[in-house]
Amino acid sequence: MPRSIWKGAISFGLISIPIKVYGATEQKDISFRQVHPADGGRIKYKRVCEVCSQEIPFAEIAKGYETPDGRMAILEKQDFEDLPLRSTKAVDVVQFVDADEVDPTYISSTYFLEADGPGAKPYVLLRDALVQSGRVAIVKVALRSRETLAMIRAKDDLLLMHTILWPDELRDGQFAAPAEDVSVSDAEITMAGSFIDALSGPFEPEQFHDAYREALETLVEAKLSGSAMVAQEEDTGASADVVDLVAALRASVEAAKKRRAEASGEQAAPAAPAEPAEEEDEAPARKTPTRTTAKKTTAKKTAAKKTTAAKTTTARKTPAKKAS
């Protein structure tokens, strides 16, 4: 069981809910040591004061804030604990909002909330009330010596708390938006919708895995055992220079249906062709005159010539009758 990182209470009106806070996520990435490649020795760093050149133990290091004019304000652990904030030991509910009103972009970290001591009943009361109302609680809390906004929501039998970034911590992303003169056709949107339909389904996180981490683990095992790493086929993927979006999307739909069919053992149905774009009416093209009559006349003349030549040859070969 993990250790709690914070202990306090949820202030729910006049009701106080004692809780313990646990980290809900953990990093599964492979960590590496910095080493000397010649002998494998680990590279170590020393915390040295630039003024007195002495190595300072981590427990004796304080936090300092340097002002633009070069002055230094030194803050110690007790200074943070004595901050006049209500949220240092309490999760203060400030508002209830609809669950879909919170933009996921603002969510930073996730925590489990556990009822502590006599807090089980008010814990269940808040949890069930949130479920029936379809809302989440917006709260203020101080975690790791820093006050932050957070959202408390019910999930199954638990209360989860998601810390939320402050509005000024979210960058303006308008610089990344495409140019206003870029447009797509109805046929392209229709085919894109077909691709979305081909890959639609319930979200099941269990079916996804970290292929990069698995490849790193295999590489490490190969290094330790001294065996050669099996080369993987390179996936070139689709070309970035796409000219015909409809054709590319149609091929993507076919590939997606084929993958799903192979997984389920069924035969993939062909993708529906995109409707052609509407064109302006044009004048009917001039008909090219047929040459059938001319060809027939030429054939008749050729046949007549051949017949005449044949008669002439026959006449020459027939001997003349003697006069009696």
Side-chain angles (χ1 to χ4, degrees):
M1 181 177 177
R3 296 177 57 185
S4 64
I5 63 170
W6 192 87
K7 186 175 180 180
I10 299 176
S11 178
F12 178 39
L14 297 179
I15 300 175
S16 180
I17 310 173
I19 58 165
K20 292 180 180 179
V21 178
Y22 299 86
T25 61
E26 60 181 340
Q27 294 294 328
K28 289 290 188 178
D29 196 9
I30 295 178
S31 59
F32 295 95
R33 304 283 189 185
Q34 289 187 327
V35 298
H36 184 200
D39 53 19
R42 290 175 56 182
I43 306 299
K44 295 185 177 182
Y45 294 91
K46 295 182 178 181
R47 300 178 179 90
V48 178
C49 175
E50 65 177 5
V51 176
C52 63
S53 300
Q54 293 184 2
E55 184 177 355
I56 309 301
F58 181 77
E60 297 180 11
I61 296 177
K63 292 183 179 180
Y65 178 81
E66 186 175 2
T67 61
D69 58 4
R71 292 177 298 164
M72 184 72 68
I74 299 176
L75 305 178
E76 298 182 2
K77 182 179 179 181
Q78 190 63 38
D79 295 324
F80 292 100
E81 294 178 352
D82 294 341
L83 284 175
L85 289 177
R86 173 183 171 83
S87 57
T88 53
K89 291 298 180 181
V91 180
D92 193 14
V93 177
V94 295
Q95 190 179 12
F96 292 96
V97 300
D98 292 335
D100 57 358
E101 286 189 34
V102 181
D103 188 340
T105 311
Y106 284 94
I107 294 178
S108 177
S109 301
T110 303
Y111 300 91
F112 294 134
L113 302 184
E114 179 191 28
D116 186 23
K121 186 168 183 177
Y123 181 102
V124 172
L125 172 63
L126 177 59
R127 182 197 66 192
D128 293 351
L130 290 176
V131 170
Q132 290 188 15
S133 65
R135 291 183 171 87
V136 297
I138 302 299
V139 302
K140 276 188 173 183
V141 60
L143 291 176
R144 306 186 189 280
S145 303
R146 184 174 184 268
E147 185 181 58
T148 181
L149 280 176
M151 174 183 73
I152 294 179
R153 69 181 181 94
K155 184 180 184 299
D156 300 329
D157 295 333
L158 293 176
L159 285 176
L160 268 62
M161 183 172 68
H162 307 278
T163 54
I164 298 175
L165 299 173
W166 296 102
D168 58 354
E169 292 180 317
L170 199 62
R171 294 173 177 169
D172 185 2
Q174 285 301 315
F175 70 91
E180 295 182 358
D181 58 349
V182 176
S183 61
V184 293
S185 66
D186 292 341
E188 291 167 342
I189 295 176
T190 300
M191 189 53 66
S194 299
F195 180 66
I196 292 173
D197 292 339
L199 289 182
S200 294
F203 177 56
E204 299 173 350
E206 308 82 31
Q207 65 177 323
F208 302 103
H209 60 93
D210 189 349
Y212 180 77
R213 177 161 55 94
E214 293 175 358
L216 273 181
E217 291 173 347
T218 304
L219 175 61
V220 170
E221 290 296 329
K223 288 282 187 179
L224 293 175
S225 62
S227 58
M229 184 73 175
V230 179
Q232 299 291 330
E233 294 183 1
E234 184 177 355
D235 184 10
T236 56
S239 173
D241 187 14
V242 179
V243 178
D244 190 344
L245 288 177
V246 175
L249 286 169
R250 185 182 294 112
S252 301
V253 172
E254 293 288 356
K257 288 185 175 180
K258 183 178 179 181
R259 287 196 301 268
R260 285 204 165 185
E262 290 175 352
S264 61
E266 299 176 355
Q267 186 174 2
E275 296 180 1
E278 296 181 358
E279 298 180 355
E280 297 181 358
D281 295 336
E282 298 180 357
R286 294 181 180 178
K287 293 184 178 179
T288 305
T290 57
R291 304 194 176 215
T292 306
T293 305
K295 288 182 178 179
K296 287 183 178 180
T297 304
T298 304
K300 286 181 179 181
K301 290 181 179 180
T302 303
K305 288 180 179 180
K306 288 183 178 180
T307 304
T308 304
K311 287 181 178 181
T312 304
T313 304
T314 304
R316 288 177 180 176
K317 289 182 178 180
T318 303
K321 291 184 180 180
K322 293 181 179 181
S324 53

